[in-house]
Amino acid sequence: MSDDDTPPPFNGPPPIRISRRTLLLGIGALGIIGAGGYWLTEGQSQNLGSAFTNPLRIPPLLESELIDGERVFHLTAHAGDTELVPGTRFGTMGFNGTHLGPTIRAARGEHVRVHVTNALSMPTTAHWHGMILPAAQDGTPHQSIHPGDTWTAAWTVDQPPATLWYHPHPHGQTELQVGRGMAGLFLIDDDAPVNLPTEYGIDDIPVIIQDISLQPGGTQPGTPTTAPIGRIGNTVIINGTYQPHFESTTGLVRFRILNASTARCYNLQLSTKEAFHLVATDGGILPSPVALTSLLLSPAERAEILIQIPSDEDIVLRSVPHDLGMSQGDNITSGADDTLELLRITRPITRRTDRSLPASLPASLPASLPATALPQPPAISIERHFTLGDTTINGKTMDMDRIDTLVTAGTTEKWMIINDSDRAHNFHIHGTQFTVDTVNATPPAAHLRGWKDTVFIPSGNTVELIVPFSSFADAATPYMYHCHLLWHEDQGMMAQYALTNGQLAIAPDDDEHKSHH
Ligand code: C2O
Ligand code: CU
Ligand code: CU
């Protein structure tokens, strides 16, 4: 593997970067460098991925029962202690365990029912991020589950195959709970044949990326850095695995990547510098694979990528320096200058006899994919503008009792999101999958031409989104839209929309700038 590139020069003291002295001490005295992702100090280049030997954990698939035509699942939120790093326990939270949650799978057309029990000592919720469903089933702060209680969500899955996820959404406490590990995947399937790897845990691999904080030296939990985008850890874990290694039995693997970090962005790249292929964005499969050599994933975004894995070569999936569009100092505290090793991938020549290996797995890159048609722009009913401040949307912070935006159910709107602050943000809308129409008034790059529910918006940037809203009118129960940098969200960078039957054109306090077409 080639690792001959050096990170770009940096100016100023990097707050979480481990100094060369600590780095050398770490190697010499402890045999570790103190971080699951490694920070290469200035001018350094090392083949660090070779330290990654812990087998990648695969979140179990959640069992379900079919009862009266419904697929029924059970989740329980727990707190506990988890040895996230060998020898070091962290205070964690999870679903059906003390860290992360099982993978939920359901097919398009199925009626699902999920019973969620709160065994925490604080209120929580279970939000189905990316799901198109009635607002009362969405698990927002309005569907709070008190300690000891069980809340049940039920809906019909009716959207294209996608990698969605679930996480808590308690008012003001989302960063805490997600940061401690409350996150799981929710995969949607359908009956149509798909020419992509589909064997869960074999060639269809979940990759849930979170950052945690270790004290330098690596023996105790540490304190995250406070950055303009939120709290930044110094150690990356994948599916809860420290320094993970995935040993592939096939030459083509689909990785379903979720950035479940509260603030940190990752700029994905392969150590070989070879292209990987993006085959799905947040809400579904693309019309054809998009070859990329890097991909920036902000919190809550998903990417399904195909990686071709040659025999007997180490490939390291890593995150490389990127530009979050802030000042250089803010970029650095926000982690944008870090080089992080995420996952080592190998494929041994002498393959162990694997009983579970299915007979025929796709080995080559598909030329086209069974994508679902994207919405056609013409039918836009209304255009709205949202301006992002440091922790505000249109100058306001979240008020549970204020519905900011009334949308006529079943219509498609154009939402223009303007990041007018010095901070990087992203923007997530509940209850829909949208498309990106423009980025700074120009057509979006290829990796943004699919279904999305969360879009990254650097400082000074403007995106226009085409947002098709569902027909689940319920004027009394709002959905959320917000920045998914969770510290910003908890600070109030969130607002509410409700779907109406169209009887109320403008709510009394709906003071957005609007233009009717
Ligand atoms: Cu991922 Cu409002 O949520
Ligand atoms: Cu959401
Ligand atoms: Cu933000």
Side-chain angles (χ1 to χ4, degrees):
M1 120 180 172
S2 101
D3 207 347
D4 54 359
D5 64 321
T6 50
F10 66 89
N11 303 317
I16 60 164
R17 209 180 278 256
I18 292 162
S19 73
R20 179 181 292 269
R21 187 169 153 271
T22 313
L23 190 64
L24 294 174
L25 277 176
I27 294 169
L30 299 167
I32 54 174
I33 305 187
Y38 292 95
W39 283 262
L40 304 180
T41 51
E42 189 180 14
Q44 248 178 327
S45 67
Q46 296 178 27
N47 179 358
L48 292 165
S50 57
F52 282 46
T53 55
N54 301 313
L56 177 70
R57 277 181 215 143
I58 304 294
L61 290 171
L62 183 58
E63 306 259 317
S64 61
E65 291 175 280
L66 276 176
I67 302 174
D68 294 337
E70 288 186 321
R71 188 168 291 287
V72 180
F73 298 94
H74 293 266
L75 290 174
T76 302
H78 293 280
D81 276 292
T82 309
E83 191 177 359
L84 296 180
V85 173
T88 306
R89 302 190 78 84
F90 289 73
T92 57
M93 293 178 174
F95 293 97
N96 296 2
T98 59
H99 190 249
L100 296 179
T103 297
I104 302 179
R105 257 196 129 130
R108 186 171 196 171
E110 278 191 307
H111 305 287
V112 298
R113 182 171 292 271
V114 193
H115 300 289
V116 187
T117 299
N118 182 3
L120 306 173
S121 56
M122 60 171 77
T124 191
T125 84
H127 166 55
W128 322 106
H129 180 122
M131 196 74 71
I132 298 167
L133 78 181
Q137 312 303 316
D138 197 34
T140 71
H142 295 282
Q143 290 91 40
S144 186
I145 317 168
H146 294 283
D149 284 359
T150 297
W151 171 76
T152 299
W155 71 96
T156 301
V157 174
D158 187 16
Q159 65 192 92
T163 302
L164 310 185
W165 66 300
Y166 63 96
H167 64 80
H169 219 299
H171 190 50
Q173 302 282 330
T174 299
E175 183 199 38
L176 171 79
Q177 295 188 5
V178 175
R180 290 198 167 203
M182 291 180 80
L185 293 180
F186 198 130
L187 308 184
I188 298 179
D189 305 309
D190 72 5
D191 292 338
V194 63
N195 50 355
L196 289 170
T198 54
E199 296 296 325
Y200 184 80
I202 294 174
D203 63 2
D204 182 351
I205 305 297
V207 176
I208 302 172
I209 312 177
Q210 292 199 302
D211 58 338
I212 57 173
S213 297
L214 265 185
Q215 279 182 9
T219 55
Q220 288 299 320
T223 313
T225 302
T226 300
I229 65 169
R231 282 183 265 264
I232 303 290
N234 61 8
T235 300
V236 175
I237 52 175
I238 308 291
N239 302 344
T241 317
Y242 176 72
Q243 299 188 344
H245 172 212
F246 174 68
E247 193 177 284
S248 178
T249 48
T250 73
L252 184 72
V253 179
R254 172 191 196 174
F255 291 95
R256 301 186 190 240
I257 303 173
L258 160 66
N259 181 354
S261 303
T262 63
R264 191 184 263 285
C265 298
Y266 301 92
N267 190 21
L268 304 172
Q269 187 183 77
L270 300 179
S271 55
T272 55
K273 310 289 163 58
E274 297 287 330
F276 53 87
H277 290 82
L278 181 73
V279 292
T281 51
D282 301 336
I285 295 171
L286 293 167
S288 57
V290 175
L292 298 170
T293 50
S294 69
L295 175 63
L296 186 72
L297 218 56
S298 71
E301 289 186 287
R302 284 88 66 211
E304 294 184 29
I305 65 172
L306 296 182
I307 301 181
Q308 287 169 298
I309 304 169
S311 297
D312 258 16
E313 184 177 2
D314 275 31
I315 297 178
V316 180
L317 178 67
R318 59 190 189 183
S319 176
V320 296
H322 45 279
D323 185 3
L324 294 174
M326 300 183 287
S327 71
Q328 185 150 29
D330 286 350
N331 274 336
I332 289 171
T333 47
S334 299
D337 249 18
D338 299 335
T339 297
L340 301 158
E341 311 292 322
L342 305 178
L343 174 65
R344 185 166 72 104
I345 305 162
T346 61
R347 180 182 166 215
I349 284 180
T350 32
R351 186 186 298 178
R352 298 164 311 172
T353 40
D354 194 330
R355 310 133 308 265
S356 59
L357 197 62
S360 65
L361 291 168
S364 63
L365 208 59
S368 66
L369 297 165
T372 311
L374 297 173
Q376 294 304 303
I380 307 261
S381 60
I382 201 169
E383 186 171 325
R384 303 179 196 265
H385 295 186
F386 300 90
T387 301
L388 309 182
D390 280 358
T391 55
T392 56
I393 299 174
N394 285 346
K396 291 185 275 195
T397 54
M398 170 74 174
D399 180 345
M400 292 275 286
D401 298 323
R402 182 189 69 226
I403 293 181
D404 300 87
T405 307
L406 289 173
V407 171
T408 303
T411 61
T412 296
E413 300 194 351
K414 183 181 274 195
W415 284 23
M416 178 187 276
I417 324 294
I418 304 139
N419 183 350
D420 193 30
S421 85
D422 292 335
R423 295 175 174 177
H425 294 297
N426 69 14
F427 197 81
H428 167 51
I429 309 175
H430 285 213
T432 181
Q433 291 288 336
F434 54 74
T435 56
V436 180
D437 193 38
T438 65
V439 175
N440 300 328
T442 56
H447 69 276
L448 289 176
R449 293 189 199 159
W451 294 104
K452 296 284 291 170
D453 56 49
T454 307
V455 62
F456 181 61
I457 313 175
S459 174
N461 280 239
T462 295
V463 300
E464 289 178 294
L465 312 176
I466 308 283
V467 193
F469 289 96
S470 75
S471 55
F472 301 117
D474 179 354
T477 311
Y479 297 91
M480 310 291 122
Y481 53 93
H482 57 91
C483 177
H484 219 291
L485 307 181
L486 297 180
W487 179 69
H488 292 174
E489 177 187 324
D490 285 349
Q491 295 286 305
M493 196 166 186
M494 176 153 68
Q496 312 193 87
Y497 80 88
L499 293 179
T500 75
N501 284 319
Q503 73 276 38
L504 296 163
I506 296 175
D509 55 359
D510 190 5
D511 62 353
E512 295 148 17
H513 329 274
K514 293 183 181 177
S515 57
H516 291 260
H517 286 228

